[in-house]
Amino acid sequence: MGSDVKYHVHLNREMLEGAEVAILPGDPGRVGKTARYLDPDAHFVASNREFTSWLATLDGHKVLVCSTGIGGPSVSICLEELASLGITDFYRIGTTGAIQPDIELGSLIITTGAVRLDGASTHYAPIEYPAVADLELTNSLVAAAREFGLPHRVGITAACDTFYPGQERYDTFTGYVPRRFQGSLEEWRHLQVLNYEMESATLFVIASVFGLKAGMVASAIVSRARSETPDDTVLALAEENLARVMKRALQIRFASLS
Ligand code: URA
């Protein structure tokens, strides 16, 4: 491995071929599919730990698709290393748990700001610092979802370090949720928070602190008004809708730059 190859993502500038935009799914298994949806000739670039990377070309622009793994710590590593390789725009695509009862499974949620229930973002900026998405990236996602007529909501996400206690799940090894989180689901619902996921707060804070851009779209795979357990039968639809919206959002974004 050359000395210019970044330690965790195993990428260097040459491999990125000038890409300035990255799509960040959490799951390494979604990287190839997403890249090929953008570009049938997309190719695998590198894989190490949770970070798998493919490179696609869309409308003449190189696009890196790189998985982050789950949660803030691995997102922070991914952003550090990709930013130092010249990536300026980060779009996260992922799955999520809907908090508001009127959000149907498979609906898209485009996050404008995140409740900072993570730890990693506090290593970059104090808790008073907002976790907000970039307006232009967010607008491109909203425009794409609207164009396809896909059900979607735009608003605030609770971004949490844990899938179980932090998202107030009781179907666990101990069945116990610490007092700090007891009743928190109901409270977020009253505060108009749309959904739970695990990466957006870290992503938004670090991108903002770096002076870079980040946006986020997720598909609801569980409705917390009805269940604690994600519904695997909506995964295929979720992945397809995310890929469609992501591709169109990039086209809108590239057109706005030219
Ligand atoms: N991801 C989460 O963080 N929570 C969910 O409920 C589903 C996906």
Side-chain angles (χ1 to χ4, degrees), residues 92 95-98 160 162-163 167 169 196-199 219 221-222 224 228 230:
R92 172 168 147 68
T95 53
T96 188
C160 203
T162 53
F163 184 83
Q167 298 184 19
R169 284 185 161 93
Y196 281 123
E197 60 83 67
M198 300 178 67
E199 291 82 17
S219 180
I221 58 166
V222 55
R224 294 301 307 279
E228 289 195 358

PDB file of all heavy atoms in Angstrom, residues 92 95-98 160 162-163 167 169 196-199 219 221-222 224 228 230, ligand 1:
ATOM      1  N   ARG A  92     -25.512  11.134   2.284  1.00  0.00           N
ATOM      2  CA  ARG A  92     -25.726   9.843   2.932  1.00  0.00           C
ATOM      3  C   ARG A  92     -27.061   9.266   2.485  1.00  0.00           C
ATOM      4  O   ARG A  92     -28.075   9.983   2.426  1.00  0.00           O
ATOM      5  CB  ARG A  92     -25.707  10.002   4.461  1.00  0.00           C
ATOM      6  CG  ARG A  92     -26.108   8.740   5.168  1.00  0.00           C
ATOM      7  CD  ARG A  92     -25.850   8.701   6.651  1.00  0.00           C
ATOM      8  NE  ARG A  92     -26.875   7.909   7.324  1.00  0.00           N
ATOM      9  CZ  ARG A  92     -27.029   6.587   7.203  1.00  0.00           C
ATOM     10  NH1 ARG A  92     -26.229   5.887   6.439  1.00  0.00           N
ATOM     11  NH2 ARG A  92     -27.999   5.963   7.849  1.00  0.00           N
ATOM     12  N   THR A  95     -31.187   3.639   5.879  1.00  0.00           N
ATOM     13  CA  THR A  95     -32.506   3.203   6.338  1.00  0.00           C
ATOM     14  C   THR A  95     -32.771   3.834   7.699  1.00  0.00           C
ATOM     15  O   THR A  95     -31.844   4.288   8.381  1.00  0.00           O
ATOM     16  CB  THR A  95     -32.573   1.671   6.447  1.00  0.00           C
ATOM     17  OG1 THR A  95     -31.479   1.222   7.247  1.00  0.00           O
ATOM     18  CG2 THR A  95     -32.524   1.022   5.074  1.00  0.00           C
ATOM     19  N   THR A  96     -34.044   3.825   8.070  1.00  0.00           N
ATOM     20  CA  THR A  96     -34.405   4.592   9.257  1.00  0.00           C
ATOM     21  C   THR A  96     -35.670   4.047   9.907  1.00  0.00           C
ATOM     22  O   THR A  96     -36.436   3.311   9.274  1.00  0.00           O
ATOM     23  CB  THR A  96     -34.602   6.076   8.862  1.00  0.00           C
ATOM     24  OG1 THR A  96     -34.761   6.848  10.040  1.00  0.00           O
ATOM     25  CG2 THR A  96     -35.813   6.286   7.958  1.00  0.00           C
ATOM     26  N   GLY A  97     -35.876   4.435  11.162  1.00  0.00           N
ATOM     27  CA  GLY A  97     -37.096   4.089  11.868  1.00  0.00           C
ATOM     28  C   GLY A  97     -37.968   5.330  11.989  1.00  0.00           C
ATOM     29  O   GLY A  97     -37.547   6.331  12.569  1.00  0.00           O
ATOM     30  N   ALA A  98     -39.196   5.248  11.444  1.00  0.00           N
ATOM     31  CA  ALA A  98     -40.091   6.418  11.495  1.00  0.00           C
ATOM     32  C   ALA A  98     -40.658   6.582  12.900  1.00  0.00           C
ATOM     33  O   ALA A  98     -41.110   5.607  13.507  1.00  0.00           O
ATOM     34  CB  ALA A  98     -41.218   6.247  10.492  1.00  0.00           C
ATOM     35  N   CYS A 160     -28.610   8.799  16.715  1.00  0.00           N
ATOM     36  CA  CYS A 160     -28.376   8.146  17.988  1.00  0.00           C
ATOM     37  C   CYS A 160     -27.222   7.152  17.904  1.00  0.00           C
ATOM     38  O   CYS A 160     -27.117   6.431  16.935  1.00  0.00           O
ATOM     39  CB  CYS A 160     -29.676   7.398  18.258  1.00  0.00           C
ATOM     40  SG  CYS A 160     -29.958   7.039  19.916  1.00  0.00           S
ATOM     41  N   THR A 162     -26.862   4.448  19.636  1.00  0.00           N
ATOM     42  CA  THR A 162     -27.279   3.058  19.808  1.00  0.00           C
ATOM     43  C   THR A 162     -28.617   2.809  19.110  1.00  0.00           C
ATOM     44  O   THR A 162     -29.503   3.661  19.090  1.00  0.00           O
ATOM     45  CB  THR A 162     -27.430   2.680  21.301  1.00  0.00           C
ATOM     46  OG1 THR A 162     -28.282   3.630  21.932  1.00  0.00           O
ATOM     47  CG2 THR A 162     -26.074   2.639  21.998  1.00  0.00           C
ATOM     48  N   PHE A 163     -28.727   1.616  18.548  1.00  0.00           N
ATOM     49  CA  PHE A 163     -29.959   1.196  17.884  1.00  0.00           C
ATOM     50  C   PHE A 163     -31.001   0.793  18.926  1.00  0.00           C
ATOM     51  O   PHE A 163     -32.193   0.999  18.720  1.00  0.00           O
ATOM     52  CB  PHE A 163     -29.628  -0.015  16.993  1.00  0.00           C
ATOM     53  CG  PHE A 163     -30.744  -0.539  16.153  1.00  0.00           C
ATOM     54  CD1 PHE A 163     -31.053   0.038  14.933  1.00  0.00           C
ATOM     55  CD2 PHE A 163     -31.478  -1.643  16.577  1.00  0.00           C
ATOM     56  CE1 PHE A 163     -32.084  -0.468  14.142  1.00  0.00           C
ATOM     57  CE2 PHE A 163     -32.507  -2.152  15.793  1.00  0.00           C
ATOM     58  CZ  PHE A 163     -32.805  -1.558  14.571  1.00  0.00           C
ATOM     59  N   GLN A 167     -32.709   4.357  21.094  1.00  0.00           N
ATOM     60  CA  GLN A 167     -33.929   4.492  20.292  1.00  0.00           C
ATOM     61  C   GLN A 167     -35.113   3.856  21.038  1.00  0.00           C
ATOM     62  O   GLN A 167     -36.114   3.482  20.441  1.00  0.00           O
ATOM     63  CB  GLN A 167     -33.724   3.860  18.912  1.00  0.00           C
ATOM     64  CG  GLN A 167     -32.618   4.556  18.115  1.00  0.00           C
ATOM     65  CD  GLN A 167     -32.428   4.029  16.696  1.00  0.00           C
ATOM     66  OE1 GLN A 167     -33.311   3.382  16.128  1.00  0.00           O
ATOM     67  NE2 GLN A 167     -31.284   4.333  16.106  1.00  0.00           N
ATOM     68  N   ARG A 169     -35.727   0.923  22.573  1.00  0.00           N
ATOM     69  CA  ARG A 169     -36.223  -0.422  22.247  1.00  0.00           C
ATOM     70  C   ARG A 169     -36.145  -1.282  23.511  1.00  0.00           C
ATOM     71  O   ARG A 169     -35.112  -1.331  24.189  1.00  0.00           O
ATOM     72  CB  ARG A 169     -35.385  -1.044  21.134  1.00  0.00           C
ATOM     73  CG  ARG A 169     -35.706  -0.478  19.752  1.00  0.00           C
ATOM     74  CD  ARG A 169     -34.927  -1.206  18.665  1.00  0.00           C
ATOM     75  NE  ARG A 169     -35.535  -1.005  17.360  1.00  0.00           N
ATOM     76  CZ  ARG A 169     -35.188  -0.038  16.509  1.00  0.00           C
ATOM     77  NH1 ARG A 169     -34.240   0.822  16.835  1.00  0.00           N
ATOM     78  NH2 ARG A 169     -35.801   0.080  15.347  1.00  0.00           N
ATOM     79  N   TYR A 196     -35.583   8.064  13.554  1.00  0.00           N
ATOM     80  CA  TYR A 196     -34.304   7.701  14.183  1.00  0.00           C
ATOM     81  C   TYR A 196     -33.351   7.161  13.127  1.00  0.00           C
ATOM     82  O   TYR A 196     -33.753   6.350  12.282  1.00  0.00           O
ATOM     83  CB  TYR A 196     -34.497   6.545  15.159  1.00  0.00           C
ATOM     84  CG  TYR A 196     -35.053   6.846  16.513  1.00  0.00           C
ATOM     85  CD1 TYR A 196     -36.209   6.211  16.938  1.00  0.00           C
ATOM     86  CD2 TYR A 196     -34.395   7.688  17.402  1.00  0.00           C
ATOM     87  CE1 TYR A 196     -36.722   6.421  18.218  1.00  0.00           C
ATOM     88  CE2 TYR A 196     -34.902   7.906  18.681  1.00  0.00           C
ATOM     89  CZ  TYR A 196     -36.060   7.272  19.077  1.00  0.00           C
ATOM     90  OH  TYR A 196     -36.556   7.480  20.341  1.00  0.00           O
ATOM     91  N   GLU A 197     -32.111   7.550  13.192  1.00  0.00           N
ATOM     92  CA  GLU A 197     -31.031   6.841  12.513  1.00  0.00           C
ATOM     93  C   GLU A 197     -29.747   7.082  13.309  1.00  0.00           C
ATOM     94  O   GLU A 197     -29.815   7.553  14.432  1.00  0.00           O
ATOM     95  CB  GLU A 197     -30.945   7.168  11.008  1.00  0.00           C
ATOM     96  CG  GLU A 197     -30.712   8.591  10.645  1.00  0.00           C
ATOM     97  CD  GLU A 197     -29.258   8.980  10.691  1.00  0.00           C
ATOM     98  OE1 GLU A 197     -28.446   8.500   9.896  1.00  0.00           O
ATOM     99  OE2 GLU A 197     -28.945   9.834  11.557  1.00  0.00           O
ATOM    100  N   MET A 198     -28.587   6.733  12.733  1.00  0.00           N
ATOM    101  CA  MET A 198     -27.403   6.674  13.593  1.00  0.00           C
ATOM    102  C   MET A 198     -26.181   7.436  13.078  1.00  0.00           C
ATOM    103  O   MET A 198     -25.114   7.338  13.677  1.00  0.00           O
ATOM    104  CB  MET A 198     -27.020   5.201  13.842  1.00  0.00           C
ATOM    105  CG  MET A 198     -28.120   4.420  14.524  1.00  0.00           C
ATOM    106  SD  MET A 198     -27.749   2.678  14.785  1.00  0.00           S
ATOM    107  CE  MET A 198     -26.431   2.777  15.979  1.00  0.00           C
ATOM    108  N   GLU A 199     -26.325   8.176  11.994  1.00  0.00           N
ATOM    109  CA  GLU A 199     -25.122   8.792  11.414  1.00  0.00           C
ATOM    110  C   GLU A 199     -25.237  10.284  11.103  1.00  0.00           C
ATOM    111  O   GLU A 199     -24.213  10.970  10.975  1.00  0.00           O
ATOM    112  CB  GLU A 199     -24.721   8.061  10.111  1.00  0.00           C
ATOM    113  CG  GLU A 199     -24.208   6.652  10.300  1.00  0.00           C
ATOM    114  CD  GLU A 199     -25.311   5.617  10.445  1.00  0.00           C
ATOM    115  OE1 GLU A 199     -26.468   5.927  10.074  1.00  0.00           O
ATOM    116  OE2 GLU A 199     -25.051   4.506  10.935  1.00  0.00           O
ATOM    117  N   SER A 219     -34.792   5.748   3.959  1.00  0.00           N
ATOM    118  CA  SER A 219     -36.087   5.119   3.714  1.00  0.00           C
ATOM    119  C   SER A 219     -36.549   4.417   4.992  1.00  0.00           C
ATOM    120  O   SER A 219     -35.761   3.724   5.647  1.00  0.00           O
ATOM    121  CB  SER A 219     -35.945   4.110   2.559  1.00  0.00           C
ATOM    122  OG  SER A 219     -37.187   3.509   2.316  1.00  0.00           O
ATOM    123  N   ILE A 221     -37.917   1.771   7.310  1.00  0.00           N
ATOM    124  CA  ILE A 221     -38.089   0.309   7.267  1.00  0.00           C
ATOM    125  C   ILE A 221     -38.783  -0.207   8.535  1.00  0.00           C
ATOM    126  O   ILE A 221     -38.983  -1.397   8.683  1.00  0.00           O
ATOM    127  CB  ILE A 221     -36.736  -0.414   7.058  1.00  0.00           C
ATOM    128  CG1 ILE A 221     -35.738  -0.052   8.161  1.00  0.00           C
ATOM    129  CG2 ILE A 221     -36.164  -0.117   5.683  1.00  0.00           C
ATOM    130  CD1 ILE A 221     -34.523  -0.974   8.211  1.00  0.00           C
ATOM    131  N   VAL A 222     -39.125   0.694   9.418  1.00  0.00           N
ATOM    132  CA  VAL A 222     -39.942   0.331  10.583  1.00  0.00           C
ATOM    133  C   VAL A 222     -40.713   1.574  11.022  1.00  0.00           C
ATOM    134  O   VAL A 222     -40.203   2.690  10.935  1.00  0.00           O
ATOM    135  CB  VAL A 222     -39.062  -0.235  11.745  1.00  0.00           C
ATOM    136  CG1 VAL A 222     -37.951   0.709  12.139  1.00  0.00           C
ATOM    137  CG2 VAL A 222     -39.901  -0.585  12.974  1.00  0.00           C
ATOM    138  N   ARG A 224     -42.203   3.074  14.264  1.00  0.00           N
ATOM    139  CA  ARG A 224     -42.084   2.852  15.702  1.00  0.00           C
ATOM    140  C   ARG A 224     -43.419   3.004  16.435  1.00  0.00           C
ATOM    141  O   ARG A 224     -43.528   2.646  17.599  1.00  0.00           O
ATOM    142  CB  ARG A 224     -41.005   3.765  16.275  1.00  0.00           C
ATOM    143  CG  ARG A 224     -39.599   3.445  15.781  1.00  0.00           C
ATOM    144  CD  ARG A 224     -39.186   2.010  16.132  1.00  0.00           C
ATOM    145  NE  ARG A 224     -39.362   1.750  17.539  1.00  0.00           N
ATOM    146  CZ  ARG A 224     -38.492   2.120  18.497  1.00  0.00           C
ATOM    147  NH1 ARG A 224     -37.373   2.716  18.156  1.00  0.00           N
ATOM    148  NH2 ARG A 224     -38.733   1.874  19.766  1.00  0.00           N
ATOM    149  N   GLU A 228     -41.074  -2.519  16.967  1.00  0.00           N
ATOM    150  CA  GLU A 228     -39.663  -2.182  17.234  1.00  0.00           C
ATOM    151  C   GLU A 228     -38.754  -2.773  16.172  1.00  0.00           C
ATOM    152  O   GLU A 228     -37.587  -2.398  16.072  1.00  0.00           O
ATOM    153  CB  GLU A 228     -39.245  -2.736  18.610  1.00  0.00           C
ATOM    154  CG  GLU A 228     -39.859  -2.012  19.778  1.00  0.00           C
ATOM    155  CD  GLU A 228     -39.153  -2.347  21.093  1.00  0.00           C
ATOM    156  OE1 GLU A 228     -38.215  -3.155  21.104  1.00  0.00           O
ATOM    157  OE2 GLU A 228     -39.561  -1.765  22.118  1.00  0.00           O
ATOM    158  N   PRO A 230     -37.414  -3.808  12.390  1.00  0.00           N
ATOM    159  CA  PRO A 230     -37.477  -3.459  10.961  1.00  0.00           C
ATOM    160  C   PRO A 230     -38.135  -4.566  10.142  1.00  0.00           C
ATOM    161  O   PRO A 230     -38.034  -5.744  10.472  1.00  0.00           O
ATOM    162  CB  PRO A 230     -35.998  -3.294  10.579  1.00  0.00           C
ATOM    163  CG  PRO A 230     -35.329  -2.901  11.848  1.00  0.00           C
ATOM    164  CD  PRO A 230     -36.045  -3.663  12.923  1.00  0.00           C
TER     165      PRO A 230
HETATM  166  N1  URA B   1     -31.833   2.525  11.483  1.00  0.00           N
HETATM  167  C1  URA B   1     -31.964   2.988  12.745  1.00  0.00           C
HETATM  168  O1  URA B   1     -31.059   3.600  13.295  1.00  0.00           O
HETATM  169  N2  URA B   1     -33.132   2.761  13.389  1.00  0.00           N
HETATM  170  C2  URA B   1     -34.143   2.063  12.842  1.00  0.00           C
HETATM  171  O2  URA B   1     -35.163   1.867  13.499  1.00  0.00           O
HETATM  172  C3  URA B   1     -33.989   1.591  11.518  1.00  0.00           C
HETATM  173  C4  URA B   1     -32.815   1.836  10.858  1.00  0.00           C
END
